[in-house]
């Protein structure tokens, strides 16, 4: 994931200390029920599409933007399927971030799926019964997006 300019500016004064950041994930389905995935350039693994909202950007708008930027697919956000505070991540350069992820179920509207930026090595549509090797993060979000259950959240209080 490319580092947004506003985070670079924060890092200039915050150093490597933990930053608490918003994040969004988009689980995009087409009319055939296939899910859109990208093979990320940073991890070389297949995953759902995600990113960080720009300051002032609405989470759903960010999801739509990230999908287009990474895959050239136009979509619309249909509903929130999950809200979850993720565990802190330490990057190779020493930066530490923790994300509050809001996951949206999205519907593809137009565009041919293709690599559209340097964050993806491959992009493709997959039937849910023939997904590539995915981490639990992506599998859980796809499962929640396929469900009609209410928005998932963890109500555990660690305080």
């Amino acid at each position: 994931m490319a580092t947004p300019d506003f985070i670079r500016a924060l890092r200039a004064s915050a150093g490597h200390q933990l930053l608490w950041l918003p994040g969004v994930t988009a689980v995009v389905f087409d009319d055939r029920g296939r899910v859109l995935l990208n093979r990320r350039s940073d991890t070389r693994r297949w995953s759902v599409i995600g990113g960080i909202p720009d300051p002032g950007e609405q989470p759903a708008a960010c999801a739509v933007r990230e999908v287009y930027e990474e895959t050239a697919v136009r979509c619309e956000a249909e509903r929130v399927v999950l809200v979850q505070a993720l565990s802190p991540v330490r990057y190779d350069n020493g930066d530490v971030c923790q994300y509050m992820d809001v996951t949206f179920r999205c519907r593809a509207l137009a565009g041919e799926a293709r690599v559209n930026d340097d964050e993806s090595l491959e992009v493709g549509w997959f039937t849910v019964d023939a997904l590539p090797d995915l981490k639990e993060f992506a599998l859980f979000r796809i499962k929640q997006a396929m469900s009609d259950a209410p928005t998932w959240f963890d109500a555990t209080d660690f305080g």
Side-chain angles (χ1 to χ4, degrees), residues 112-123:
E112 293 295 319
R114 63 178 170 81
V115 173
N116 204 35
D117 67 10
D118 61 356
E119 294 184 42
S120 302
L121 298 173
E122 295 179 73
V123 170

Side-chain angles (χ1 to χ4, degrees), residues 7 11 16-23 52 84-91 95-101 158:
I7 293 177
R11 285 283 176 215
H16 297 298
Q17 70 180 313
L18 181 127
L19 294 181
W20 175 246
L21 299 169
I52 299 171
Q84 183 181 35
L86 304 178
S87 297
V89 176
R90 179 174 299 277
Y91 293 97
D95 289 351
V96 181
C97 296
Q98 188 171 7
Y99 299 95
M100 173 63 72
D101 179 60
F158 295 105

Side-chain angles (χ1 to χ4, degrees), residues 131-153:
L131 295 171
D133 181 38
L134 297 172
K135 287 188 172 186
E136 182 59 30
F137 176 92
L139 291 171
F140 185 63
R141 280 153 177 74
I142 292 167
K143 176 185 168 194
Q144 291 306 119
M146 292 172 51
S147 168
D148 289 330
T151 300
W152 183 92
F153 56 89

Side-chain angles (χ1 to χ4, degrees), residues 54-65:
D54 293 328
E57 183 179 31
Q58 294 296 326
C62 175
V64 169
R65 175 181 56 77

Side-chain angles (χ1 to χ4, degrees), residues 2-60:
T3 304
D5 290 338
F6 80 94
I7 293 177
R8 288 183 213 279
L10 279 172
R11 285 283 176 215
S13 62
H16 297 298
Q17 70 180 313
L18 181 127
L19 294 181
W20 175 246
L21 299 169
V24 300
T25 301
V27 180
V28 184
F29 292 98
D30 68 5
D31 291 338
R32 295 168 44 190
R34 299 177 302 172
V35 65
L36 180 64
L37 301 174
N38 72 332
R39 193 161 69 86
R40 297 171 51 111
S41 58
D42 59 350
T43 64
R44 306 189 73 75
R45 294 193 57 131
W46 286 98
S47 191
V48 287
I49 313 303
I52 299 171
D54 293 328
E57 183 179 31
Q58 294 296 326

